Amino acid sequence: MSNNRTFTMIKPDAVRAGNIGAILKDIQEGGFKIVAMKYTKLSAEKAGEFYAIHKARPFYGELVEFMSSGPIVAAILEKDNAVEDFRKLIGSTNPADAAPGTIRAKYATSIGENAVHGSDSDENAAIESSFHFSGTEIFG
Ligand code: UDP
Ligand code: MG
């Protein structure tokens, strides 16, 4: 996986609120090219696996329940400096702290139900991308 890719999910809250289109528009206007995308749903087991790094945290159970509560959009995005620039575009984890205009400021409702995921490093972008996509599903 090259350095200029990141992985995102539009989370179940944003899908339920009808914000898939608006969020994809923000992503594309932010200069990101979608190189892979699917509409899917995580089982509780898969959500638990995806967020295994947070297993010891008090919010883990709630997070797994939320992330498996409805469909998501998973995507791989390409741009120079993708990981860092995408974290800027989405804003802080807690929407109350997210900069105005960011995706979380606009669409998240709480620190848990915060509309989108964004990878936090190139290494995790690669791991998370291959969790959801095989090589033949990526069109770079
Ligand atoms: N989360 C939560 N409560 C918290 C912190 C995080 O429910 O106090 C959830 C939230 O959905 C967040 C996810 O767990 O997006 C992963 O947490 P992380 O700290 O990695 O935040 P992110 O990288 O998504 O900004
Ligand atoms: Mg994170």
Side-chain angles (χ1 to χ4, degrees):
M1 182 68 56
S2 61
N3 287 351
N4 54 6
R5 284 182 180 173
T6 191
F7 172 77
T8 187
M9 292 182 286
I10 300 176
K11 297 185 178 184
D13 59 324
V15 172
R16 274 195 284 276
N19 289 327
I20 293 175
I23 291 171
L24 290 178
K25 184 167 187 278
D26 283 357
I27 289 171
Q28 291 191 296
E29 286 179 353
F32 293 85
K33 180 186 173 196
I34 296 165
V35 297
M37 184 163 69
K38 64 174 70 163
Y39 190 48
T40 185
K41 187 171 182 291
L42 293 171
S43 63
E45 191 188 350
K46 277 291 194 189
E49 214 181 298
F50 185 88
Y51 283 108
I53 193 160
H54 295 303
K55 208 164 198 156
R57 310 282 288 278
F59 58 81
Y60 178 73
E62 222 176 302
L63 175 61
V64 168
E65 192 183 329
F66 164 59
M67 286 304 296
S68 58
S69 68
I72 60 162
V73 175
I76 303 174
L77 307 174
E78 202 167 82
K79 183 186 183 296
D80 289 345
N81 203 34
V83 167
E84 197 184 331
D85 286 1
F86 192 69
R87 297 288 303 200
K88 264 188 217 143
L89 183 73
I90 69 177
S92 301
T93 308
N94 186 346
D97 302 329
T102 59
I103 291 175
R104 281 169 166 167
K106 292 199 282 186
Y107 305 113
T109 51
S110 69
I111 192 169
E113 305 207 356
N114 59 4
V116 283
H117 169 81
S119 305
D120 63 6
S121 65
D122 292 335
E123 190 194 358
N124 284 335
I127 292 168
E128 292 169 0
S129 294
S130 49
F131 184 90
H132 284 269
F133 295 97
S134 64
T136 56
E137 296 175 306
I138 302 168
F139 305 95

